[in-house]
Amino acid sequence: MEVTGRVVVLTGAAHGIGAAMARRFAAEGAAGVVVSDLDLEAAEKVVAGITAAGGAAIARHADASSKEDLKMLVTEARAEFGPVDLFCSNAGAAFGTGVHAADEQWARSWSINVMQHVHAAQVALPAMLSRGHGYLLITASGAGLLGTPGDAPYSVTKHAAVGLAEWLAITYRPRGVRVSALCPLGVRTALLEPGIAAGHPAALAIAAAAPLLEPEDVAESVVHGLASEEFLILPHESVRETYARKAAGLDAWIDRTILETGARKR
């Protein structure tokens, strides 16, 4: 998919990767970009930058875990710009906790990191299928392919997000709807940097796995990945080789990860 002339909806787009994608899509000539986030003020600033540069965008307050909010975004996008061509479910949540995380943290991780993508597909697919084309971009993580020592809810739910994306691709690609899973490793965002500063093992493991990228680097990879309609969009190219090595010998992979990160009771 070329972004030029397309209508795009993004969640979690007021900061970080989401904001960088919104700006890049607009620069690519998107017909309209819906920038949604819980932080409406920051979303409006992203939109102001886009419109100042001649792009078309609107900001909306939305909870990415709410199916009704996501349905509202599709409705607003259609009213303002036309049918949605690309829905980017990008919001994410991490708590830096192990298997003994509070039930509320497990539930929130599941609602944001998994059910957001389920609901996005539910609200975006009907119109896409009726038109015979469309695109779902699921922001998962390299953690969804390689795991994240030290953060059980994040690792588990990101694996689930990749699994959902794969199921959607198998099911709907024959009907004209493409699906990609965006799986970066470390990116300089408010989700990762506080953990690095605090010395959290999950954040440190991600930072050590590959060089930290800027959000704009990820947006660049997304544009190219959409253009070639790759299922896995990997801003860190090293993930491809590492993922293949993991698949070739999972026990060896687990042992190596234990040695590299150190065993911790969590």
Side-chain angles (χ1 to χ4, degrees):
M1 171 180 282
E2 299 293 339
V3 180
T4 305
R6 306 292 189 174
V7 176
V8 185
V9 171
L10 302 103
T11 64
H15 305 279
I17 294 171
M21 287 197 295
R23 288 190 288 263
R24 181 57 190 273
F25 292 158
E28 289 290 316
V33 180
V34 178
V35 179
S36 76
D37 203 282
L38 287 172
D39 187 348
L40 179 59
E41 182 177 355
E44 289 173 338
K45 289 180 180 178
V46 173
V47 167
I50 290 173
T51 56
I58 57 174
R60 291 294 183 267
H61 177 275
D63 179 349
S65 68
S66 165
K67 183 177 178 178
E68 289 305 311
D69 280 12
L70 299 188
K71 186 184 298 185
M72 173 271 294
L73 294 178
V74 170
T75 300
E76 298 257 328
R78 184 187 302 114
E80 189 76 22
F81 305 117
V84 175
D85 297 295
L86 170 62
F87 196 114
C88 305
S89 46
N90 171 75
F95 297 99
T97 49
V99 72
H100 299 294
D103 289 350
E104 293 79 8
Q105 292 175 322
W106 276 105
R108 185 63 176 165
S109 295
W110 188 258
S111 67
I112 292 291
N113 295 343
V114 182
M115 293 308 297
Q116 168 195 191
H117 308 305
V118 173
H119 294 151
Q122 289 173 338
V123 302
L125 274 171
M128 291 180 178
L129 292 172
S130 69
R131 296 162 62 208
H133 66 86
Y135 215 118
L136 300 174
L137 176 66
I138 290 176
T139 299
S141 169
L145 301 173
L146 306 176
T148 310
D151 195 329
Y154 188 79
S155 181
V156 169
T157 54
K158 290 299 186 178
H159 274 77
V162 174
L164 172 65
E166 183 180 283
W167 185 91
L168 289 167
I170 291 169
T171 305
Y172 293 108
R173 184 182 292 181
R175 300 178 63 183
V177 177
R178 309 296 288 193
V179 181
S180 290
L182 172 59
C183 296
L185 286 174
V187 182
R188 295 188 191 279
T189 68
L191 196 64
L192 180 63
E193 289 194 307
I196 295 174
H200 190 276
L204 293 176
I206 290 174
L212 292 182
L213 297 180
E214 299 298 328
E216 291 74 18
D217 298 324
V218 178
E220 175 79 10
S221 294
V222 168
V223 168
H224 289 289
L226 294 175
S228 58
E229 298 187 345
E230 298 173 314
F231 173 70
L232 285 179
I233 298 179
L234 304 174
H236 296 83
E237 188 55 36
S238 61
V239 171
R240 196 178 310 277
E241 178 184 345
T242 308
Y243 186 44
R245 188 166 65 245
K246 173 185 175 181
L250 190 52
D251 286 299
W253 165 262
I254 291 172
D255 289 339
R256 178 177 176 177
T257 302
I258 291 170
L259 289 173
E260 290 179 348
T261 62
R264 292 190 54 156
K265 293 181 179 179
R266 296 188 64 81

